[in-house]
Amino acid sequence: MMRILLKWLVGGFLSIGAIWMVTAVFSDSVPLEEWSGALGRNTLAPGTTYQERREGWATNHIGEHGLIASRPEDLAATEKIVIWGDSFVEAFHVEDSAKMHRRLTDLLRQEPRGKGAALAVGERFCSIADYRFRIPDYEAVLKDVKLHVIHLYSLEDTFPDQYPGGRISLFLTEPDLHFEKYDNEFREIEAPVSPGRARFLIHQYHLQFFSRLRTSLTNIARLDGLRFAPGTAQKSTADPAAHRAWNRFLDPAWGSAEPPLEAWRFLLRELDSTTEAPILFVYAPPTPALLSGDLILENPEKNLANHFSSLCKEQGIGFVSLEEPFLRFLEANGRFAKGFHNSRPWEGHYNADGHRLVAEAINSWIQENRHVVYPN
């Protein structure tokens, strides 16, 4: 009996060890967060790393204030460009040196003055409503911000009353146009956290498998997500997976809508009132794309993008569209600016080529508008 028990124990430990070694290399990290008193929110813990494996393959280094791929010399620069965005700017999917803000820094330092540096404040599910609240906080800790660049993948986030499960703070119309602040997609203001010993060990030794196993077992114990009724299960219209399907951007629900000019004017005025620094929108359309094997080149938001661009000009805010650079890149190289070796072409986030194209577009606008960015 003891020999059988010993075999089971040894076999169990060997199996766990094998699972740990495989998942430590081939699965995403568990992010480690801690409270930042200077920013008044929880951020990724400085000095830690995060590895991405589901889309792309990269290791990300977290710098001061939870900024991804930020270096001390960038934080010390006297002319800072801050790029705001969601997971496209968070950019866990590419190595640090390939991220758009590092690419932009490289371009800025090729200039004779060579003082500029770009930093990225990106977080999945973030939207324009979050930037409205966070810009003043980050300006206070970063200092010397000369330009705020807001990246938009599609115009979805510029419309009020959008699906709340896909964003953090909200842009709402009731009882009147306003932004509503939250800290996460669960509609909560987060309490300060500090990484406990257990979470630190999980992160340090890449024990994410055990953390996720615990979460799965807890959900099963609570009967979360289990269904016992007979018949075919119907997918909820509020299902986050359906909401985040990439092909929905090719025929967006908002694509045929009338431009919400009043809401857009409110949005632009609110953003402009939060900062003395100029603002630049960088708009990325969902095209070019593939759908059922067909190449889709026509941007379904073109009319809306033209209206939004005109309003930005009216309000004295910069606007750059990536539609033409993406099309020219596909035509010249036969590659998309999005997609990785472990994902479909065009779907998902920017690959290294996409980040380079975004950085080049921002740099071109800066060179053409130096009097706006560097008035002195």
Side-chain angles (χ1 to χ4, degrees):
M1 182 68 180
M2 289 299 295
R3 289 182 62 187
I4 295 175
L5 182 59
L6 183 61
K7 287 180 179 180
W8 274 94
L9 287 173
V10 171
F13 281 119
L14 289 175
S15 298
I16 291 172
I19 293 170
W20 170 47
M21 287 188 290
V22 171
T23 56
V25 175
F26 292 99
S27 64
D28 296 349
S29 299
V30 173
L32 197 65
E33 290 190 342
E34 68 178 22
W35 178 255
S36 168
L39 292 170
R41 58 183 296 261
N42 296 311
T43 68
L44 294 172
T48 61
T49 60
Y50 180 88
Q51 69 179 31
E52 171 73 26
R53 297 294 184 261
R54 283 180 296 178
E55 185 184 5
W57 185 283
T59 299
N60 302 264
H61 296 82
I62 313 303
E64 192 176 354
H65 309 304
L67 299 178
I68 301 167
S70 62
R71 299 167 293 190
E73 61 267 30
D74 300 333
L75 290 161
T78 56
E79 296 176 350
K80 298 186 183 73
I81 312 297
V82 181
I83 305 176
W84 296 84
D86 53 13
S87 52
F88 280 84
V89 173
E90 184 182 54
F92 282 148
H93 324 89
V94 296
E95 292 292 340
D96 290 353
S97 61
K99 299 186 197 305
M100 63 179 74
H101 65 286
R102 291 279 286 269
R103 294 274 196 173
L104 179 57
T105 298
D106 293 340
L107 293 171
L108 294 172
R109 288 183 178 163
Q110 292 174 12
E111 300 177 27
R113 58 191 291 149
K115 297 179 180 178
L119 299 166
V121 184
E123 183 179 347
R124 61 192 68 185
F125 308 134
C126 269
S127 67
I128 285 178
D130 297 288
Y131 319 144
R132 162 64 181 83
F133 296 113
R134 294 182 184 181
I135 282 175
D137 296 333
Y138 278 84
E139 280 190 339
V141 299
L142 295 177
K143 313 293 185 186
D144 304 314
V145 176
K146 301 299 182 184
L147 175 68
H148 291 288
V149 179
I150 296 176
H151 177 274
L152 292 174
Y153 178 69
S154 85
L155 291 172
E156 181 181 20
D157 284 342
T158 66
F159 282 76
D161 302 323
Q162 291 298 299
Y163 173 63
R167 47 198 48 79
I168 301 177
S169 296
L170 301 177
F171 181 21
L172 303 172
T173 57
E174 298 296 336
D176 49 28
L177 285 165
H178 70 285
F179 293 114
E180 202 160 300
K181 181 179 181 179
Y182 294 105
D183 281 344
N184 60 49
E185 67 273 25
F186 300 108
R187 313 276 75 78
E188 296 172 352
I189 299 295
E190 290 185 334
V193 300
S194 59
R197 179 67 177 167
R199 195 165 183 83
F200 178 79
L201 290 174
I202 288 171
H203 181 274
Q204 185 177 26
Y205 294 105
H206 298 281
L207 296 165
Q208 50 263 28
F209 163 75
F210 301 101
S211 174
R212 289 169 182 144
L213 177 62
R214 176 181 175 275
T215 301
S216 297
L217 292 175
T218 301
N219 290 339
I220 291 172
R222 293 173 178 170
L223 303 182
D224 289 348
L226 298 181
R227 176 178 175 274
F228 298 99
T232 303
Q234 298 297 318
K235 186 173 288 189
S236 168
T237 56
D239 179 29
H243 172 77
R244 294 168 190 151
W246 293 105
N247 59 8
R248 74 187 179 89
F249 292 104
L250 300 179
D251 186 19
W254 59 91
S256 58
E258 286 296 313
L261 300 181
E262 181 185 354
W264 280 351
R265 286 194 178 96
F266 172 84
L267 177 155
L268 295 174
R269 286 196 300 267
E270 282 289 300
L271 284 175
D272 195 41
S273 70
T274 65
T275 178
E276 296 295 321
I279 296 172
L280 167 66
F281 279 99
V282 175
Y283 163 70
T287 51
L290 292 171
L291 184 63
S292 300
D294 295 325
L295 185 61
I296 310 297
L297 300 177
E298 176 111 11
N299 177 13
E301 296 182 327
K302 196 171 189 69
N303 178 55
L304 291 171
N306 290 337
H307 279 90
F308 189 78
S309 173
S310 297
L311 277 185
C312 286
K313 185 176 181 180
E314 175 187 301
Q315 299 291 325
I317 291 174
F319 181 90
V320 168
S321 173
L322 295 167
E323 183 172 352
E324 287 303 318
F326 284 176
L327 289 171
R328 287 197 303 268
F329 179 75
L330 176 65
E331 184 179 284
N333 300 279
R335 300 198 307 270
F336 293 93
K338 295 174 290 180
F340 298 86
H341 66 282
N342 54 358
S343 65
R344 295 177 180 176
W346 94 264
E347 285 192 2
H349 298 88
Y350 295 137
N351 50 40
D353 291 322
H355 280 270
R356 178 178 54 80
L357 293 171
V358 175
E360 290 173 353
I362 297 171
N363 186 60
S364 294
W365 186 91
I366 291 173
Q367 302 315 314
E368 293 168 7
N369 296 272
R370 295 189 67 82
H371 62 288
V372 176
V373 182
Y374 309 117
N376 299 322

